[in-house]
């Protein structure tokens, strides 16, 4: 019983850390949920469930990949998957992480727009960058502990918003689906882009866990994802005008009750921060091979991304995410192909071993 409890508690911790690595400014704000799922109407619900199943399978593959290959660097991942084209894969992976970290910083500044408090001085993005640097300096375990705060805080916020919207007189407005092909394409882009960004963190997370723990953690993480996606979609359907804003959920929370708006701001800030920390760690782990200092690499990483974030949150989410998602599909395809081939080799070796034992 103690062993089962230990596996379950490890899986909860691991699953929460995985979810925290995925949830960023786009997801926590509701903008990403609207663009990739909710805009397609009721069909988005079964698509979200399908996404949860695929996220579970791919997450498990990443954890097992990290455990079996003992992944410690970004270079190792790309050399295993891209072979002789690993330099190209490595460059695009780091470039993508730079873009997403820039989106996190831009998202941090967008938090103030709803409250009409935005200024030319980018206070929130600078605070996010400084905290990311500090927590990265404290080590990988501190990053995991920071990520587990996202799950309870985000789920509680979404439930409060949904109940508040149902209590007050709101009309459920479901948009009409424009094309039957779009939902599945957007579903794949969402899954592959998010797991592509988090692949290095996931690979490291799976290193010291059993296969059973990795599987259970993947189920837990994907379940959190499905619950949040469905609830956020419903909240947006009850407040259709919110989709015109950078941060739909923040707008809704503030419209219901200003103190609830402040709570939403804090929760979204945590979601942005945890993803920013994971991305800073990933980029800096790669950059230290050239700068010979992890701490200095974190500083350079955040300075570059603060500059890039001036493009604006909406523009990055709308254009860069989809483009990177296409490369993410290639990355995930190579990962699954690698895992299938390795499993076949493992089974073949097991058969040979059993035959030799009989002889």
């Amino acid at each position: 019983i103690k062993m089962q409890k230990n596996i379950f508690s490890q899986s909860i911790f691991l699953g929460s850390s995985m979810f925290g690595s995925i949830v960023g400014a786009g997801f926590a704000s509701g903008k990403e949920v609207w663009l990739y799922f909710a805009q397609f109407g009721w069909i988005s619900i079964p698509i979200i469930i399908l996404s949860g199943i695929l996220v579970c399978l791919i997450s498990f593959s990443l954890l097992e990949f990290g455990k079996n290959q003992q992944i410690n660097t970004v270079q190792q991942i790309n050399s295993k998957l891209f072979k002789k084209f690993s330099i190209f894969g490595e460059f695009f992976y780091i470039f993508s992480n730079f873009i997403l970290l820039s989106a996190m910083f831009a998202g941090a500044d967008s938090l103030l727009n709803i409250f009409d408090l935005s200024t030319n001085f980018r206070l929130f993005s600078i605070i996010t960058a400084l905290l990311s640097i500090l927590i990265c300096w404290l080590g990988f375990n501190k990053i995991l502990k920071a990520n587990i705060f996202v799950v309870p805080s985000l789920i509680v916020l979404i439930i409060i918003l949904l109940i508040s919207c149902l209590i007050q007189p709101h009309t459920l407005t479901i948009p009409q689906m424009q094309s039957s092909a779009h939902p599945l394409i957007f579903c794949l882009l969402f899954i592959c882009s998010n797991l592509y960004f988090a692949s290095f963190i996931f690979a490291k997370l799976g290193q010291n866990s059993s296969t059973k723990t990795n599987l259970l953690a993947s189920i837990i993480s994907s379940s959190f994802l499905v619950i949040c996606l469905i609830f956020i979609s419903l909240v947006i359907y009850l407040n259709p005008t919110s989709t015109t804003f950078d941060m739909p959920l923040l707008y809704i929370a503030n419209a219901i009750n200003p103190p609830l708006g402040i709570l939403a701001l804090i929760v979204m800030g945590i979601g942005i921060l945890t993803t920013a920390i994971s991305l800073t760690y990933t980029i800096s782990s790669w950059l230290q091979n050239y700068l010979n200092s992890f701490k200095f690499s974190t500083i350079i990483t955040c300075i570059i991304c603060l500059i890039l974030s001036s493009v604006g949150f909406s523009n990055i989410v709308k254009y860069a995410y989809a483009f990177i998602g296409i490369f993410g599909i290639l990355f995930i395809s190579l990962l699954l192909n690698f895992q299938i081939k390795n499993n076949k080799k493992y089974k073949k070796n097991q058969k040979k071993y059993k035959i030799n034992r009989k002889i």
Side-chain angles (χ1 to χ4, degrees), residues 34 38 42 158-175 230-243 248-249 251-252 255-256:
W34 168 254
W42 281 121
I158 295 166
I159 291 171
I160 291 171
L161 285 176
L162 186 56
I163 292 170
S164 300
C165 291
L166 290 171
I167 291 170
Q168 295 181 9
H170 285 81
T171 304
L172 193 68
T173 306
I174 312 297
I230 291 174
F231 282 13
I232 290 171
S233 296
L234 290 173
V235 171
I236 290 173
Y237 291 155
L238 289 163
N239 299 270
T241 56
S242 65
T243 58
L249 290 189
Y251 165 79
I252 294 165
I256 293 169

Side-chain angles (χ1 to χ4, degrees), residues 105 124-134 273 280 302 306:
F105 292 155
F124 271 33
S125 59
I126 292 169
I127 291 172
T128 304
L130 291 173
L131 287 172
S132 299
I133 291 167
L134 178 63
L273 177 62
T280 303
C302 287
L306 281 170

Side-chain angles (χ1 to χ4, degrees), residues 27 33 50 81 111 155 218 222 316 345:
F27 187 96
V33 179
L50 173 64
L81 300 183
L111 289 172
I155 289 177
S218 300
S222 56
I316 296 172
K345 282 182 185 177

Side-chain angles (χ1 to χ4, degrees), residues 9 65 68 70 117 179 253 306 318:
S9 60
F65 172 70
N68 296 331
Q70 285 299 295
L117 296 173
S179 168
L306 281 170
K318 192 173 181 180

